[in-house]
Amino acid sequence: MPELAPANPAAMSGPSGSSAAAILLMLLAEDEAAQVLSRLDPDEVQQLGTAMFEVADVSEDEVDDVLDTFVGRARERTTIGFAADGQIRTMMERALGTERAENMLARITPPTRSSSLDSLKWMDAKTIAALVESEHPQIAAIVLAHLEPGVAADVLQLLDEDVQADVVYRVATLGEVSSEALDDLERLLLRQVNKAGSSGAAPKRGGANEAARIINSTRTTTEQRVIRQLAKLDKNLARVIEDEMFVFDNLNALSEKDLGALLRGVENDILIVALKGCDPNLRNKMFGCMSSRAAQSIQDEMAERGPMRLAEVQEAQKAVLAIARKLAEAGTISLGGKGEDYV
């Protein structure tokens, strides 16, 4: 949802952003406000709804400030692109006739696809899981790849444990989604949205990064089980996903004790390269886990080596992460992160 910022920030000290948008919405008739809300995403509706409750006691001067800002912004914009598709269709039909206009529009209309996938954003995890639980895992993978990672993780955990790794595998290897697969998905969503006519280009979804984000959002027990099962399906892919799940900057979440234990297991030559280009906060935290002499020695060595190839730095960071995983598997350190599993 675009922020309603003043054309001249110094000229307005009143409400801005969501608060300003909420005030404008409250000034509209209910039907008009409903039309605005219908065009927003669920998180935007929630954000704006919260702001509407918070501006209930807004002053008259603040309302005037918001209206002035809105009018100023409106004068800078045109409405030429608003509802352009309907306007173009009407012009074509009047100029060419209905049949010839349809043929022309079929050639010139930008490729789009049904907005049925957007309806997934309004469903809760239980509804989505129920929708795909009896479908082919490939359909479940397409659905998960179109969801926010947190929601996708909730859906994944509601599916049968025997198919969870298979679904994650398919998310990671999804790539281009065929028209046939999207048609199957639209069939599932037919009751929620109207089906659009044009097919458009096959979109790319999924990938190891998407799969990693989904798994990162699951409970630790689910994460560990899925990774183990995934390794049986494709060991290399499981390692790639693990690499995406745990990156070098994640070491910032380690306690000083665990970080110190990790650093003692890493050779200086590897550490010097790995620290090149890493987050300054993480670098300083690592230095804080060493003796002043050791930290200064590494800093001097880094300065002497000068610029380094990114690929070389990334390789060194992967080596550090591999050591961190081994120490975590041995129970020497805790990588942490989730915190909701108890025994």
Side-chain angles (χ1 to χ4, degrees):
M1 180 173 61
E3 294 287 334
L4 182 59
N8 178 10
M12 177 180 166
S13 57
S16 62
S18 299
S19 296
I23 291 172
L24 286 174
L25 203 61
M26 297 285 279
L27 295 174
L28 298 177
E30 289 184 3
D31 289 345
E32 295 171 331
Q35 289 183 40
V36 174
L37 289 173
S38 69
R39 296 175 180 271
L40 304 179
D41 288 336
D43 57 338
E44 294 173 332
V45 174
Q46 180 176 344
Q47 181 181 353
L48 191 51
T50 300
M52 289 167 69
F53 279 106
E54 293 174 349
V55 300
D57 296 326
V58 67
S59 70
E60 185 175 340
D61 288 341
E62 289 174 317
V63 172
D64 289 341
D65 284 340
V66 170
L67 287 173
D68 288 343
T69 302
F70 176 74
V71 171
R73 290 283 298 276
R75 284 174 177 165
E76 299 171 0
R77 305 293 296 272
T78 71
T79 59
I80 193 169
F82 183 74
D85 51 349
Q87 184 180 5
I88 295 170
R89 175 176 290 277
T90 299
M91 288 190 293
M92 289 288 185
E93 289 179 348
R94 289 181 179 178
L96 306 175
T98 303
E99 185 174 346
R100 291 169 62 193
E102 286 294 338
N103 292 334
M104 178 61 70
L105 288 168
R107 293 197 296 270
I108 67 173
T109 302
T112 57
R113 193 170 179 93
S114 168
S115 60
S116 58
L117 291 176
D118 289 341
S119 67
L120 291 168
K121 295 184 295 187
W122 296 92
M123 300 181 191
D124 59 29
K126 288 184 178 179
T127 301
I128 299 173
L131 199 66
V132 301
E133 63 182 355
S134 59
E135 297 296 322
H136 192 280
Q138 188 72 3
I139 295 298
I142 296 172
V143 169
L144 262 62
H146 280 84
L147 299 173
E148 289 297 317
V151 179
D154 290 341
V155 174
L156 178 68
Q157 292 172 115
L158 290 170
L159 299 179
D160 192 298
E161 291 185 2
D162 293 338
V163 304
Q164 290 176 355
D166 188 19
V167 170
V168 171
Y169 172 82
R170 292 172 185 274
V171 170
T173 58
L174 202 52
E176 292 187 353
V177 182
S178 69
S179 295
E180 292 78 7
L182 288 177
D183 286 341
D184 286 341
L185 182 54
E186 287 188 351
R187 173 178 53 78
L188 291 176
L189 302 173
L190 189 57
R191 293 182 180 179
Q192 283 76 26
V193 295
N194 291 324
K195 199 171 184 180
S198 56
S199 59
K204 283 192 173 183
R205 302 295 302 187
N209 179 265
E210 187 73 25
R213 292 174 66 196
I214 292 172
I215 298 176
N216 263 338
S217 300
T218 64
R219 292 187 297 271
T220 302
T221 50
T222 300
E223 171 190 309
Q224 294 171 346
R225 185 185 66 254
V226 168
I227 287 296
R228 284 197 302 269
Q229 294 174 346
L230 193 59
K232 295 178 182 178
L233 293 172
D234 190 322
K235 188 174 182 178
N236 290 332
L237 180 60
R239 174 56 63 185
V240 170
I241 292 176
E242 278 192 298
D243 288 342
E244 293 284 352
M245 288 171 60
F246 189 54
V247 296
F248 198 72
D249 285 350
N250 291 144
L251 294 176
N252 223 341
L254 268 63
S255 67
E256 291 186 3
K257 177 182 177 182
D258 286 343
L259 191 56
L262 169 62
L263 293 175
R264 287 192 292 274
V266 180
E267 295 180 6
N268 278 359
D269 285 344
I270 295 176
L271 185 60
I272 289 166
V273 178
L275 290 179
K276 279 280 192 179
C278 94
D279 179 68
N281 292 329
L282 173 57
R283 188 187 303 133
N284 291 335
K285 185 175 180 178
M286 286 186 171
F287 288 151
C289 295
M290 309 175 190
S291 67
S292 329
R293 184 176 178 181
Q296 189 60 53
S297 173
I298 289 177
Q299 292 178 66
D300 292 342
E301 183 68 25
M302 289 172 63
E304 288 179 12
R305 295 200 182 191
M308 298 182 122
R309 290 170 51 243
L310 178 61
E312 188 178 357
V313 173
Q314 291 174 336
E315 200 61 36
Q317 290 180 349
K318 286 183 180 179
V320 175
L321 291 175
I323 295 171
R325 287 195 193 93
K326 288 181 179 178
L327 292 175
E329 289 170 1
T332 306
I333 66 174
S334 172
L335 297 182
K338 295 198 169 23
E340 76 272 354
D341 293 315
Y342 299 90
V343 292

